[in-house]
Every structure is written in C-alpha cells, then in structure tokens.
Amino acid sequence: MAAALCVLWGGEARAQQKIGYIDSQAILEKLPEYASVEQKLDQLEEEWRAEIEAQEEKVQVLRDEYRAWELLYTDEERRQKQAAIRKAREKVDRLRQRYFGPDGRIYTRQQELMRPIQERILDATEEVATEEGYDYVFDKSEKVLFMYARQDHNLNRRVLRALGITPEQQTEGQ
C-alpha cells in the first residue's frame, strides 16, 4: 500500500491525479439513522444477554443443588446430576455462540441494518468524487480502504493480457 501511495504521489503523478479521503466513522456518527441502528442493536444485545444470564442462573442452581446433596447421592445419581449440569452449561455456550459468535445473530443483524447506510455513504462518496474529479478516495476510519477509483485507472485488462489471457478468455472467466 505504501509503495502504491509513493507512486501516486511521485512527481508527475501528483499533478495529474486528485486524491481525497473520508472518515466513514465520523460520517456515520452524524447520520440520524445510525443512532437508530445502534439503539436497535443495543436493545437486542441487552435482551440476548439477559436470556443468557437467566440460563447461567439455572446452571448455577443445578451446581448448588448438586454440591448440597452430593454426599447423599448414589454413584449413578452423581453421574446423572453431573451430566445434567454439563448439558445445561453446553446449552448456555450454544446460546452465546448463536447470539454473539463470529456468525452470530448480532453480527448478522448489524450487517442487515448497516448495509443500507453504508451503501448511501458509498454512493455519496462516488457522486462527490466524480463531480469534483477525484481519481481515488480512501476511507481512513479503520484500515485504509478504497472508497472510489476512476475506472480508467483499472489495470485489470492489461495485467490479464500480460498474464497471457486474451479478451475472449476474460469474459469467460468473469
């Protein structure tokens, strides 16, 4: 990325190309619908955490009961009670994964709610970039990310030709 920026900002290129940036996080925080999305997500998170806590309390009750009566249980009853505790603990873990895991409901819901807002920002960025003649627009909010690039700077066709792929093969591979 640094090498690309050096090439873009090198002598002649600097005079020919117009580069800009946005901070999408700062833009998001100014949009009223973003606050609404955040509020919905916070409410869902609170509900799901309460559900998990209720299940964890059930596990704790089972553990406390087991500890209180452990000496009076037969070996078979101990195994059954331990299995019930383990099963209840696994249920809590599955619930936590379903709601908050990498592909959990909170992540999925966030994607669903944020996508329209992100698309609006992207469309507005592209509109500003084309109207004002920017060649590249970066988003500096997290990782450096291209938000817009003029199509005439796309080197894909030339790179494919250099790799020995003809235009006919390019359309087949797309």
Side-chain angles (χ1 to χ4, degrees), residues 92-125:
V92 171
D93 291 341
R94 281 193 306 274
L95 198 58
R96 185 175 282 114
Q97 277 298 106
R98 182 169 14 133
Y99 291 145
F100 302 108
D103 295 322
R105 287 186 180 175
I106 195 80
Y107 175 78
T108 304
R109 194 70 179 122
Q110 180 182 27
Q111 294 299 100
E112 290 169 2
L113 294 171
M114 289 298 295
R115 182 167 287 120
I117 297 171
Q118 291 167 333
E119 287 174 357
R120 280 189 55 219
I121 292 172
L122 183 61
D123 290 345
T125 300

Side-chain angles (χ1 to χ4, degrees), residues 134-145:
Y134 283 91
D135 294 299
Y136 301 98
V137 177
F138 297 95
D139 182 357
K140 73 171 196 104
S141 67
E142 290 181 29
K143 299 175 185 170
V144 175
L145 175 70

